[in-house]
């Protein structure tokens, strides 16, 4: 049952990445991130009013606040990258976040397994394949270096937040996730206020973005359910497959097509994430 919860997480993440990335091509990534986090926080609070208990331990604050800050930074960088490049491929680059927990485990003395080492190598080779030049011209002229840098920085933020989530109290998922959403929403609000960004958005786009907050909340709850049932490794592995859903949505909804080499790089990243996780 835990794998089904984890698969739901992957689908929710993939859907949110696709829709938010599409809207980020038209509107400020900060505004979109704020709307999603705001609706997510309200949704969590609504569950609280329906009787869902909230319990926060000291460890939740120690790790939850940094997670919220990291995810806020990562989401802005990630949406900026999605807005400037092919959504399917950029979402796969975000999958390199799986390397960060592996590096942390190696740092604290855990031996790197053969599958983990192979996965890391595949991911790094895939990113290099995306960034390299052939005969003086880029494999894909659609990805600028700054876009790849933004996607990589976002992946690093996601990876570190994953470490903190596991170091915290993942069994207390509801309280921790609510705290994370509130921290994100607060930080986005500060940025919007400092930059004087108002909600200037067509109604049809607003109606598309607002439900993403609910989907985001459901994805987090599914991940928490998988972790609580003892399937944290399965949940992590399947969560890194969310770019598959993003790519499919981008292909069928907006006609995005990857070149052969881009598709090879995409598959390498997904396969590498599976091996590592």
């Amino acid at each position: 049952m835990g794998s089904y919860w984890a698969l739901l997480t992957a689908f929710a993440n993939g859907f949110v990445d696709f829709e938010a990335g599409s809207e980020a091509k038209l509107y400020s990534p900060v505004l979109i991130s704020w709307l999603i986090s705001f609706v997510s926080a309200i949704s969590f609070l609504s569950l609280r009013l329906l009787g869902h208990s909230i319990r926060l331990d000291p460890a939740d604050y120690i790790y939850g606040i940094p997670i919220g800050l990291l995810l806020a930074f990562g989401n802005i960088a990630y949406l900026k990258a999605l807005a400037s490049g092919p959504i399917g491929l950029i979402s796969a680059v975000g999958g390199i976040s799986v390397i960060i927990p592996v590096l942390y485990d190696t740092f604290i003395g855990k031996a790197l397994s053969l599958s983990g080492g192979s996965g890391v190598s595949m991911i790094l080779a895939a990113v290099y394949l995306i960034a390299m030049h052939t005969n003086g011209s880029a494999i894909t002229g659609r990805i600028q270096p700054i876009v790849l840098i933004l996607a990589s920085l976002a992946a690093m933020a996601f990876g570190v937040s994953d470490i903190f989530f596991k170091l915290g109290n993942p069994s207390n998922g509801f309280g921790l996730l609510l705290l994370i959403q509130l921290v994100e929403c607060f930080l986005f609000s500060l940025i919007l206020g400092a930059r004087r960004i108002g909600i200037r958005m067509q109604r049809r786009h607003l109606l598309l973005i607002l439900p993403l907050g609910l989907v985001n909340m459901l994805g987090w709850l599914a991940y928490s359910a998988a972790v609580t049932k003892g399937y944290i490794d399965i949940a992590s592995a399947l969560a890194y497959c969310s770019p598959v859903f993003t790519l499919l949505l981008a292909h069928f909804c907006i006609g995005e097509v990857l070149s052969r080499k881009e598709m090879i790089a995409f598959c390498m990243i997904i396969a590498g994430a599976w091996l590592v996780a």
Side-chain angles (χ1 to χ4, degrees), residues 86-111:
I87 293 177
L89 192 59
I90 294 300
S91 67
V93 174
I96 67 176
S97 59
V98 72
I99 294 177
I100 307 301
V102 174
L103 295 178
Y104 171 78
D105 288 341
T106 304
F107 176 77
I108 63 176
K110 291 185 178 180

Side-chain angles (χ1 to χ4, degrees), residues 133-149:
H133 289 66
T134 302
N135 296 325
S137 60
I139 286 179
T140 171
R142 295 177 293 168
I143 297 183
Q144 300 297 324
I146 185 62
V147 176
L148 191 59
I149 291 173

